Amino acid sequence: LAPETVQSFEATFEQRAKGQRFLFGVFRTTFADLVSIADLTPAEIASAKASGQLLPFVKSAEQYGNLASVSSWGFNAAVEGGAFSRRLHYGATFTAAVSSQRAAKNAPDTPITVAPNVSGNARVAYDIGGPWPTVGVVGRIVGSRLVDLAFDGSPAYAPVLVEVRGTLSGKVPVLRGLTYRASLDWISTAQSPYIVGPTGVANGQFELSPLDTLRAAVGLSYDL
């Protein structure tokens, strides 16, 4: 086996001004000669038997080799900062990328399953002050992406995912050292990009792993 190699290029521009930070970057990464395992063809099995590498009764065999490669390029952007005497905090990031893989050296390029072309998140929090809680809201978006076994049959996509979470956190009155956090999380789709159970991707019949579309949580913390 030859060593796997990675070549990566990234250029980033960042600007800070009055408590704010802005960032924009472009990137390109390639992974070559990735080691993966593959079934030997009938001709390769016959050749291995002839050379004594396989016993005569062997009907199937697998071998590790420098087969796969992955390529990805795109851009990312971010902004973050604060205002109102640092009581307000906010930030957002966004990434767009085109990624492909090659299962063997002579195979065609195919999209990478599960990996979205676009993703991003945004967050904002405000500390009201005094006995009042800190209010926070965070959201993220993940673009449509191929399910994990898409190339075992007809290509299938998981839907766009949008998630929003609201949080209240602060100190419990009277009980010094005790703090609380309460959150409510909502997701726009109940389908993940992973197939579960008996699969029938070839005829378009399959089930995707479910997601909780609504979740609530309350936590307490005591600082000794």
Side-chain angles (χ1 to χ4, degrees), residues 11 36 42 45 55 60-61 63 76 83 92 98 101 103 106 109 123 126-127 139 162 169 171 177 187 192 201 213 216:
S36 60
I45 292 176
L55 297 175
S60 64
Q63 185 179 31
N76 50 51
V98 177
Q101 62 183 354
N106 297 324
D109 289 338
R123 59 195 183 278
Y126 186 76
D127 182 3
V162 177
S169 59
K171 299 178 180 180
I187 298 179
S192 76
V201 182
T213 56

Side-chain angles (χ1 to χ4, degrees), residues 69-72 97-103 107-117 144-153 155-157:
S69 62
V70 175
S71 175
S72 180
V98 177
S99 302
S100 62
Q101 62 183 354
R102 185 174 296 177
D109 289 338
T110 58
I112 296 178
T113 61
V114 182
N117 288 335
S144 178
R145 59 265 197 229
L146 284 165
V147 299
D148 60 337
L149 300 178
F151 297 110
D152 290 358
Y157 289 82

Side-chain angles (χ1 to χ4, degrees), residues 128-143:
I128 301 175
W132 302 102
T134 297
V135 181
V137 178
V138 62
R140 70 181 179 114
I141 183 170
V142 179

Side-chain angles (χ1 to χ4, degrees), residues 136-188:
V137 178
V138 62
R140 70 181 179 114
I141 183 170
V142 179
S144 178
R145 59 265 197 229
L146 284 165
V147 299
D148 60 337
L149 300 178
F151 297 110
D152 290 358
S154 301
Y157 289 82
V160 174
L161 183 148
V162 177
E163 182 177 5
V164 179
R165 177 185 299 171
T167 302
L168 297 177
S169 59
K171 299 178 180 180
V172 176
V174 182
L175 299 176
R176 187 175 181 179
L178 184 65
T179 59
Y180 66 89
R181 178 184 294 268
S183 65
L184 182 65
D185 191 273
W186 171 81
I187 298 179
S188 63

Side-chain angles (χ1 to χ4, degrees), residues 4-18:
E4 301 175 334
T5 59
V6 180
Q7 293 181 327
S8 182
F9 166 83
E10 182 177 2
T12 302
F13 171 81
E14 182 176 341
Q15 178 67 44
R16 296 175 182 267
K18 298 181 179 180

